[in-house]
Amino acid sequence: MSTGLDFAALLGEIVEECRPHAERGQLPTYIPELRKGNPRLAGIALQTARELYEAGDTRVNFTLQSISKVFSLLVAIEERGPEAVFAKVGAEPTGDPFNSIVKLETAEKKPPNPMINAGAIAVCSLIPGATVEERFGRIAGLLEAILERPITIDEAVYRSEKETGHRNRSLAYFLKDINCLEGDVEEVLDLYFRQCSILVNCADLARIGMFFATKGINGAGTPLVSARAVRLVSTFMVTCGMYNGSGEFAIQVGIPAKSGVSGGILGVVPGRFGVATFGPALDRKGNSVVGISMLKRLSEVLDFSIF
């Protein structure tokens, strides 16, 4: 990578080049509030050790959705330990959609990994706390320490998910039946819907990516979680973070990443920088069409594949 590279200009060129790809995607329909998004939005941000570079719609707020799974997993590993976590959830990729119930009944009687919905719901049940508010506070507190600012949730999206999340509710009750979910099912679901509804923007995600790139150290230089926990979660991001498109993404882009159906993608270039994209139009696997296009182009220019 050339030290004289103009990151700001590069990101601007990539946004303009890739924004038209939004026409190949669609807004998600199963969460009513997300149907209201603008499919033409596109943003990309790159956080280095010293500076944030960004282009496009990087300051538009959106909900974390499945990107939140990495934070609840970090908290669960730190608070309960890897052994307790992986007693309830597996560590293998799946070729099934992110909200599939198939493997719960046909595989090893536990979710294949913590990046699909069933696995993330099981992980939420492991977060310590006497109330939903206390458990959510642990997840929100980690995010606030990373971003060095308070976080909020999108109340409309939270209510929309809670009222229409019938598939997630069925997954949770199935998990309870096979002893992969601790505590009260509805409280665990409430925590899951809340974490999915946390508001961020593309620039925030790039800062979070840098937190992962530095093995758990925030911008102020404070270690927030163990390097071991970051390594485990980053590995899941490589193998499962882009749902059943993770293998293709590893070939085309080659970095740990986690997507969400609101259009965000969190990316990590270990030891170098955090990168993030935003584009609400999704492909059939639930990943941002524009986001993948932008990350693929950036990876080509900067040669940042870990493989």
Side-chain angles (χ1 to χ4, degrees):
M1 182 177 65
S2 171
T3 55
L5 188 60
D6 186 340
F7 285 120
L10 172 63
L11 297 184
E13 291 170 6
I14 288 175
V15 168
E16 294 310 308
E17 175 187 328
C18 296
R19 192 188 295 271
H21 290 298
E23 296 174 4
R24 296 189 285 109
Q26 293 184 329
L27 294 173
T29 58
Y30 66 95
I31 300 174
E33 279 297 312
L34 296 187
R35 297 176 195 165
K36 301 175 182 179
N38 178 356
R40 291 285 297 175
L41 294 176
I44 185 169
L46 181 76
Q47 177 72 60
T48 70
R50 297 181 179 178
E51 194 165 351
L52 173 70
Y53 302 90
E54 54 190 310
D57 305 303
T58 57
R59 300 296 169 144
V60 175
N61 286 336
F62 55 91
T63 52
L64 276 175
Q65 297 301 326
S66 283
I67 299 172
S68 67
K69 295 170 182 175
V70 303
F71 307 108
S72 52
L73 182 57
L74 275 175
V75 172
I77 290 172
E78 288 285 89
E79 296 288 342
R80 299 291 297 272
E83 294 77 15
V85 172
F86 298 122
K88 300 294 185 184
V89 64
E92 293 296 331
T94 173
D96 299 319
F98 60 86
N99 59 356
S100 174
I101 200 170
V102 173
K103 289 289 195 301
L104 288 181
E105 195 165 15
T106 61
E108 298 181 18
K109 299 296 183 180
K110 65 181 179 181
N113 67 71
M115 295 293 109
I116 59 172
N117 289 13
I121 292 169
V123 168
C124 278
S125 79
L126 299 172
I127 303 296
T131 64
V132 174
E133 289 74 16
E134 186 178 338
R135 294 175 214 147
F136 179 73
R138 291 181 181 271
I139 299 169
L142 175 58
L143 262 170
E144 290 178 343
I146 296 170
L147 295 174
E148 300 177 86
R149 67 164 177 82
I151 61 103
T152 58
I153 68 170
D154 186 316
E155 293 287 348
V157 172
Y158 163 67
R159 288 193 301 271
S160 182
E161 295 203 41
K162 191 167 184 176
E163 291 167 5
T164 63
H166 308 306
R167 174 68 68 95
N168 285 326
R169 191 160 274 108
S170 66
L171 289 171
Y173 277 97
F174 197 104
L175 289 167
K176 185 69 173 179
D177 184 66
I178 62 175
N179 197 34
C180 283
L181 185 145
E182 296 185 2
D184 180 80
V185 175
E186 291 299 326
E187 288 186 359
V188 172
L189 282 166
D190 191 47
L191 175 59
Y192 179 72
F193 295 140
R194 289 191 196 198
Q195 73 171 36
C196 288
S197 303
I198 293 172
L199 282 166
V200 295
N201 58 42
C202 191
D204 290 331
L205 284 188
R207 291 189 66 185
I208 294 167
M210 192 63 187
F211 162 80
F212 277 92
T214 55
K215 293 185 171 60
I217 298 172
N218 71 359
T222 305
L224 302 178
V225 295
S226 67
R228 181 191 186 193
V230 173
R231 179 182 61 79
L232 286 170
V233 175
S234 297
T235 304
F236 277 114
M237 290 167 71
V238 173
T239 60
C240 316
M242 302 296 287
Y243 305 125
N244 49 328
S246 297
E248 185 177 4
F249 185 85
I251 292 169
Q252 294 181 340
V253 182
I255 59 171
K258 185 71 196 83
S259 63
V261 294
S262 55
I265 300 177
L266 162 67
V268 181
V269 184
R272 293 173 63 186
F273 39 72
V275 60
T277 59
F278 172 58
L282 309 179
D283 62 22
R284 286 182 291 180
K285 295 175 181 177
N287 298 318
S288 170
V289 174
V290 172
I292 289 178
S293 298
M294 290 191 290
L295 287 170
K296 181 180 178 182
R297 185 74 185 106
L298 190 63
S299 181
E300 290 170 355
V301 176
L302 299 184
D303 189 27
F304 60 37
S305 173
I306 65 173
F307 300 106

Short mmCIF file of all heavy atoms in Angstrom, two decimals, residues 73-102:
data_model
loop_
_atom_site.label_atom_id
_atom_site.label_comp_id
_atom_site.label_asym_id
_atom_site.label_seq_id
_atom_site.Cartn_x
_atom_site.Cartn_y
_atom_site.Cartn_z
N LEU A 73 -21.85 -11.65 21.69
CA LEU A 73 -20.93 -12.78 21.77
C LEU A 73 -19.67 -12.41 22.55
O LEU A 73 -19.20 -13.20 23.39
CB LEU A 73 -20.56 -13.26 20.37
CG LEU A 73 -19.63 -14.47 20.28
CD1 LEU A 73 -20.20 -15.67 21.02
CD2 LEU A 73 -19.34 -14.82 18.82
N LEU A 74 -19.13 -11.22 22.33
CA LEU A 74 -17.98 -10.76 23.11
C LEU A 74 -18.30 -10.74 24.61
O LEU A 74 -17.52 -11.22 25.43
CB LEU A 74 -17.56 -9.36 22.67
CG LEU A 74 -16.62 -9.22 21.48
CD1 LEU A 74 -16.42 -7.75 21.14
CD2 LEU A 74 -15.27 -9.89 21.76
N VAL A 75 -19.47 -10.18 24.94
CA VAL A 75 -19.85 -10.09 26.35
C VAL A 75 -20.03 -11.48 26.94
O VAL A 75 -19.56 -11.76 28.05
CB VAL A 75 -21.15 -9.26 26.51
CG1 VAL A 75 -21.66 -9.33 27.95
CG2 VAL A 75 -20.92 -7.81 26.11
N ALA A 76 -20.69 -12.37 26.22
CA ALA A 76 -20.93 -13.72 26.74
C ALA A 76 -19.62 -14.47 26.96
O ALA A 76 -19.44 -15.15 27.98
CB ALA A 76 -21.83 -14.49 25.78
N ILE A 77 -18.69 -14.35 26.01
CA ILE A 77 -17.39 -15.03 26.16
C ILE A 77 -16.62 -14.46 27.35
O ILE A 77 -16.04 -15.21 28.14
CB ILE A 77 -16.56 -14.90 24.87
CG1 ILE A 77 -17.19 -15.74 23.75
CG2 ILE A 77 -15.12 -15.33 25.09
CD1 ILE A 77 -16.55 -15.53 22.39
N GLU A 78 -16.63 -13.15 27.49
CA GLU A 78 -15.91 -12.52 28.59
C GLU A 78 -16.53 -12.85 29.95
O GLU A 78 -15.82 -13.08 30.93
CB GLU A 78 -15.88 -11.00 28.41
CG GLU A 78 -14.98 -10.52 27.28
CD GLU A 78 -13.50 -10.60 27.65
OE1 GLU A 78 -12.89 -11.67 27.41
OE2 GLU A 78 -12.96 -9.62 28.17
N GLU A 79 -17.86 -12.85 30.01
CA GLU A 79 -18.55 -13.01 31.30
C GLU A 79 -18.76 -14.47 31.68
O GLU A 79 -18.72 -14.82 32.86
CB GLU A 79 -19.91 -12.29 31.25
CG GLU A 79 -19.82 -10.78 31.05
CD GLU A 79 -19.31 -10.07 32.29
OE1 GLU A 79 -19.35 -10.66 33.39
OE2 GLU A 79 -18.88 -8.91 32.17
N ARG A 80 -19.00 -15.34 30.70
CA ARG A 80 -19.33 -16.72 31.01
C ARG A 80 -18.22 -17.71 30.64
O ARG A 80 -18.20 -18.84 31.12
CB ARG A 80 -20.62 -17.12 30.28
CG ARG A 80 -21.84 -16.30 30.66
CD ARG A 80 -22.30 -16.60 32.09
NE ARG A 80 -22.73 -17.98 32.23
CZ ARG A 80 -23.97 -18.40 32.00
NH1 ARG A 80 -24.92 -17.53 31.62
NH2 ARG A 80 -24.28 -19.67 32.16
N GLY A 81 -17.32 -17.28 29.74
CA GLY A 81 -16.24 -18.15 29.29
C GLY A 81 -16.61 -18.92 28.04
O GLY A 81 -17.78 -19.24 27.82
N PRO A 82 -15.62 -19.23 27.19
CA PRO A 82 -15.89 -19.94 25.93
C PRO A 82 -16.58 -21.29 26.13
O PRO A 82 -17.44 -21.67 25.33
CB PRO A 82 -14.50 -20.11 25.32
CG PRO A 82 -13.67 -19.04 25.95
CD PRO A 82 -14.21 -18.86 27.33
N GLU A 83 -16.22 -22.02 27.18
CA GLU A 83 -16.79 -23.36 27.38
C GLU A 83 -18.30 -23.29 27.57
O GLU A 83 -19.04 -24.08 26.99
CB GLU A 83 -16.13 -24.04 28.58
CG GLU A 83 -14.65 -24.35 28.41
CD GLU A 83 -13.75 -23.13 28.55
OE1 GLU A 83 -14.22 -22.08 29.08
OE2 GLU A 83 -12.58 -23.21 28.14
N ALA A 84 -18.76 -22.34 28.38
CA ALA A 84 -20.20 -22.19 28.61
C ALA A 84 -20.92 -21.77 27.35
O ALA A 84 -22.02 -22.25 27.05
CB ALA A 84 -20.44 -21.17 29.73
N VAL A 85 -20.30 -20.88 26.58
CA VAL A 85 -20.92 -20.41 25.34
C VAL A 85 -21.05 -21.55 24.34
O VAL A 85 -22.13 -21.79 23.76
CB VAL A 85 -20.12 -19.24 24.74
CG1 VAL A 85 -20.66 -18.89 23.35
CG2 VAL A 85 -20.17 -18.03 25.65
N PHE A 86 -19.98 -22.30 24.15
CA PHE A 86 -20.00 -23.32 23.10
C PHE A 86 -20.66 -24.62 23.54
O PHE A 86 -20.80 -25.55 22.75
CB PHE A 86 -18.59 -23.53 22.56
CG PHE A 86 -18.04 -22.28 21.94
CD1 PHE A 86 -16.87 -21.70 22.39
CD2 PHE A 86 -18.73 -21.64 20.91
CE1 PHE A 86 -16.38 -20.53 21.83
CE2 PHE A 86 -18.26 -20.48 20.35
CZ PHE A 86 -17.08 -19.91 20.81
N ALA A 87 -21.11 -24.66 24.79
CA ALA A 87 -21.99 -25.75 25.20
C ALA A 87 -23.40 -25.53 24.65
O ALA A 87 -24.16 -26.49 24.48
CB ALA A 87 -22.05 -25.84 26.72
N LYS A 88 -23.74 -24.27 24.34
CA LYS A 88 -25.08 -23.94 23.85
C LYS A 88 -25.12 -23.64 22.36
O LYS A 88 -26.20 -23.65 21.76
CB LYS A 88 -25.61 -22.70 24.61
CG LYS A 88 -25.72 -22.87 26.11
CD LYS A 88 -26.75 -23.91 26.49
CE LYS A 88 -26.94 -23.97 28.00
NZ LYS A 88 -27.89 -25.04 28.40
N VAL A 89 -23.97 -23.37 21.75
CA VAL A 89 -23.94 -23.01 20.33
C VAL A 89 -22.68 -23.58 19.70
O VAL A 89 -21.63 -23.67 20.35
CB VAL A 89 -24.00 -21.47 20.18
CG1 VAL A 89 -22.80 -20.79 20.78
CG2 VAL A 89 -24.17 -21.07 18.72
N GLY A 90 -22.78 -23.99 18.43
CA GLY A 90 -21.65 -24.61 17.76
C GLY A 90 -20.70 -23.61 17.16
O GLY A 90 -20.80 -22.39 17.38
N ALA A 91 -19.75 -24.12 16.37
CA ALA A 91 -18.71 -23.27 15.79
C ALA A 91 -18.48 -23.57 14.32
O ALA A 91 -17.39 -23.37 13.80
CB ALA A 91 -17.41 -23.46 16.57
N GLU A 92 -19.54 -24.02 13.63
CA GLU A 92 -19.41 -24.39 12.22
C GLU A 92 -20.26 -23.50 11.33
O GLU A 92 -21.37 -23.11 11.70
CB GLU A 92 -19.83 -25.85 12.03
CG GLU A 92 -18.91 -26.86 12.70
CD GLU A 92 -17.50 -26.85 12.13
OE1 GLU A 92 -17.34 -26.52 10.93
OE2 GLU A 92 -16.56 -27.16 12.87
N PRO A 93 -19.77 -23.18 10.13
CA PRO A 93 -20.59 -22.43 9.17
C PRO A 93 -21.79 -23.26 8.74
O PRO A 93 -21.83 -24.48 8.92
CB PRO A 93 -19.63 -22.21 7.99
CG PRO A 93 -18.27 -22.52 8.50
CD PRO A 93 -18.43 -23.49 9.61
N THR A 94 -22.77 -22.60 8.18
CA THR A 94 -23.94 -23.28 7.65
C THR A 94 -24.27 -22.73 6.28
O THR A 94 -24.12 -21.53 6.03
CB THR A 94 -25.15 -23.13 8.59
OG1 THR A 94 -26.29 -23.68 7.95
CG2 THR A 94 -25.43 -21.68 8.92
N GLY A 95 -24.73 -23.57 5.41
CA GLY A 95 -25.15 -23.12 4.08
C GLY A 95 -26.60 -22.69 4.04
O GLY A 95 -27.13 -22.36 2.98
N ASP A 96 -27.26 -22.68 5.21
CA ASP A 96 -28.68 -22.33 5.27
C ASP A 96 -28.86 -20.83 5.49
O ASP A 96 -27.95 -20.14 5.95
CB ASP A 96 -29.36 -23.09 6.41
CG ASP A 96 -29.28 -24.60 6.22
OD1 ASP A 96 -29.46 -25.05 5.08
OD2 ASP A 96 -29.04 -25.30 7.21
N PRO A 97 -30.06 -20.29 5.20
CA PRO A 97 -30.34 -18.88 5.48
C PRO A 97 -30.18 -18.57 6.97
O PRO A 97 -30.27 -19.46 7.83
CB PRO A 97 -31.81 -18.73 5.05
CG PRO A 97 -32.01 -19.79 4.02
CD PRO A 97 -31.16 -20.95 4.48
N PHE A 98 -29.98 -17.28 7.29
CA PHE A 98 -29.67 -16.86 8.66
C PHE A 98 -30.80 -17.13 9.64
O PHE A 98 -30.56 -17.22 10.84
CB PHE A 98 -29.29 -15.37 8.71
CG PHE A 98 -30.37 -14.44 8.21
CD1 PHE A 98 -31.37 -13.99 9.06
CD2 PHE A 98 -30.37 -13.99 6.90
CE1 PHE A 98 -32.35 -13.13 8.61
CE2 PHE A 98 -31.35 -13.12 6.44
CZ PHE A 98 -32.35 -12.70 7.30
N ASN A 99 -32.03 -17.26 9.15
CA ASN A 99 -33.15 -17.48 10.07
C ASN A 99 -33.72 -18.90 9.95
O ASN A 99 -34.85 -19.16 10.33
CB ASN A 99 -34.26 -16.45 9.83
CG ASN A 99 -34.79 -16.49 8.40
OD1 ASN A 99 -34.29 -17.24 7.55
ND2 ASN A 99 -35.81 -15.69 8.12
N SER A 100 -32.93 -19.81 9.44
CA SER A 100 -33.38 -21.19 9.23
C SER A 100 -33.48 -21.94 10.56
O SER A 100 -32.69 -21.73 11.48
CB SER A 100 -32.42 -21.93 8.31
OG SER A 100 -32.76 -23.30 8.21
N ILE A 101 -34.44 -22.85 10.63
CA ILE A 101 -34.62 -23.70 11.81
C ILE A 101 -34.14 -25.12 11.55
O ILE A 101 -34.06 -25.95 12.46
CB ILE A 101 -36.11 -23.70 12.25
CG1 ILE A 101 -36.26 -24.13 13.71
CG2 ILE A 101 -36.96 -24.57 11.31
CD1 ILE A 101 -37.65 -23.92 14.27
N VAL A 102 -33.78 -25.43 10.30
CA VAL A 102 -33.51 -26.80 9.87
C VAL A 102 -32.45 -27.48 10.72
O VAL A 102 -32.64 -28.59 11.23
CB VAL A 102 -33.11 -26.83 8.39
CG1 VAL A 102 -32.65 -28.23 7.98
CG2 VAL A 102 -34.28 -26.40 7.52
#
